[in-house]
Amino acid sequence: MNHEKTIENLYEKVKRIDSKGDLASYIPELANVNSESFGVYISTINSSTFGVGNYSDKFSIQSIAKVLSLSLAYRIIGENIWKRVGVEPSGTAFNSLIQLEADKGIPRNPFINAGAIVVADILISNLDNPKEDFLAFVRGISNDSEINYSTDISLSEKSVGFRNVALCNLIKSFGNIENDPSDVLDFYFHLCSLEMNCKQLSELFIFLANDGCSLFEGKEILSQSQSKRVNALMQTCGFYDESGEFAFKVGLPSKSGVGGGIVAIHPKQYTIAVWSPRLNKKGNSYKGIKFLEEFTTKTKLSIF
Ligand code: GLN
């Protein structure tokens, strides 16, 4: 790994910055983490790896899981998926209801909650045992049987998930949800509750840096073209209404979650996972963005 010293130096620099932002306390269980945790882990497609800080502490990956559910649904139903969900940045918050009425229940993209709820519905219609089968898919990508849901987190979100209930019902009223909304939401809350650490996260997402193939046995998770498209969606929609600013600062296809994690992909080169739970106003990790901005600036390793 060529950039170990740079990563260490930037880690120390960003760690010292005043902690701005708040925990995602709208999900009560997410307020129980150490707000000063900070970890970074990088994996290259040549299998070199390096981590600093709390990279082996598990956290709730939340919306980062939307990339995995999209990948499985895309793998199963192919291009038909785009009849149910769009590919445009929304320019609105991750949990917004605003555009759905005008767009007649077709969410703008698969990474806002509305889109991920439709993807969850597609998976329920296509899997025999959605929770078990999805978990097996995720574990199989990097041969990591330690990855699991957190029941505490999924129940915690279920107890307060009123906006997601509203989103799912509104979409159902337009006919774009096939299954019972309570089943769809139960599955959605589960997939958002997946827990892993930065090391597991960067190793899991390496297939998106490797034309859709995992490094473990070279398994094809997505075709090259599908992998390109998922990367494009991460680039344009991965940070909701902060996607433009994130691209401007960092320049890598990436996905964030309200647990404070970010995974960034440099196609054909590396993935890097960062975790720092304090979030900015758009619900994205404050220090995670800072670190990635410094990293791609210093190393010149961005796609632009
Ligand atoms: N489970 C969270 C929610 O639905 C996911 C949001 C996120 O990580 N941006 O609100």
Side-chain angles (χ1 to χ4, degrees):
M1 170 64 56
N2 291 328
H3 299 288
E4 293 183 6
K5 205 74 232 135
T6 312
I7 292 172
E8 267 170 354
N9 291 342
L10 293 179
Y11 178 85
E12 290 307 325
K13 179 176 170 190
V14 176
K15 195 175 168 66
R16 279 197 301 272
I17 295 174
D18 245 2
S19 287
K20 291 221 183 96
D22 299 308
L23 299 178
S25 52
Y26 78 96
I27 300 175
E29 197 62 30
L30 287 184
N32 291 335
V33 298
N34 177 355
S35 58
E36 302 319 308
S37 304
F38 184 25
V40 177
Y41 199 89
I42 184 166
S43 307
T44 73
I45 61 167
N46 307 318
S47 301
S48 45
T49 58
F50 183 66
V52 276
N54 305 105
Y55 68 82
S56 52
D57 294 354
K58 280 191 193 301
F59 60 93
S60 182
I61 71 164
Q62 290 294 320
S63 284
I64 299 173
K66 293 170 180 171
V67 181
L68 303 168
S69 51
L70 171 68
S71 297
L72 181 55
Y74 199 8
R75 198 182 144 87
I76 297 172
I77 70 165
E79 301 306 315
N80 283 328
I81 194 168
W82 313 123
K83 294 180 186 150
R84 304 273 309 270
V85 61
V87 296
E88 286 301 332
S90 68
T92 56
F94 64 86
N95 56 5
S96 175
L97 285 125
I98 284 179
Q99 292 158 337
L100 272 180
E101 178 82 3
D103 293 346
K104 302 200 167 25
I106 306 291
R108 288 278 165 106
N109 69 67
F111 296 151
I112 49 174
N113 287 11
I117 288 170
V118 168
V119 172
D121 181 62
I122 293 170
L123 287 176
I124 291 180
S125 298
N126 284 278
L127 298 173
D128 293 335
N129 301 297
K131 284 185 220 165
E132 292 79 0
D133 296 351
F134 175 66
L135 187 59
F137 166 73
V138 173
R139 288 175 168 177
I141 295 174
S142 52
N143 193 31
D144 187 344
S145 56
E146 302 279 295
I147 297 172
N148 219 333
Y149 301 118
S150 159
T151 312
D152 287 348
I153 291 187
S154 68
L155 287 176
S156 179
E157 181 163 14
K158 193 173 196 169
S159 71
V160 294
F162 305 111
R163 287 189 80 86
N164 287 322
V165 173
L167 284 167
C168 191
N169 281 291
L170 184 55
I171 302 169
K172 175 101 181 161
S173 77
F174 285 106
N176 195 21
I177 290 286
E178 293 172 351
N179 298 283
D180 183 330
S182 61
D183 293 340
V184 177
L185 289 162
D186 180 59
F187 181 45
Y188 171 76
F189 294 140
H190 268 83
L191 65 92
C192 289
S193 82
L194 277 181
E195 287 187 320
M196 58 193 92
N197 59 39
C198 291
K199 177 175 188 295
Q200 292 171 305
L201 189 58
S202 82
E203 287 170 351
L204 180 61
F205 273 72
I206 199 89
F207 73 98
L208 288 168
N210 192 36
D211 285 340
C213 290
S214 77
L215 290 187
F216 171 66
E217 292 177 347
K219 251 197 301 195
E220 185 180 285
I221 310 300
L222 292 176
S223 69
Q224 191 273 337
S225 157
Q226 288 174 325
S227 173
K228 177 193 77 179
R229 290 180 165 189
V230 172
N231 270 284
L233 285 167
M234 291 173 80
Q235 180 70 57
T236 52
C237 311
F239 279 64
Y240 321 109
D241 47 343
E242 198 179 9
S243 298
E245 194 166 335
F246 184 82
F248 183 76
K249 287 179 171 164
V250 177
L252 292 175
S254 306
K255 186 74 201 81
S256 64
V258 289
I262 299 176
V263 63
I265 319 280
H266 192 314
K268 312 221 184 332
Q269 297 210 35
Y270 66 88
T271 58
I272 186 163
V274 185
W275 173 51
S276 168
R278 287 183 185 266
L279 308 177
N280 66 18
K281 296 271 179 293
K282 309 278 184 174
N284 300 316
S285 171
Y286 177 79
K287 284 194 178 175
I289 295 177
K290 269 260 172 288
F291 178 87
L292 291 170
E293 178 181 8
E294 298 262 359
F295 177 73
T296 56
T297 306
K298 196 98 194 156
T299 60
K300 304 189 178 67
L301 286 175
S302 92
I303 64 168
F304 299 112

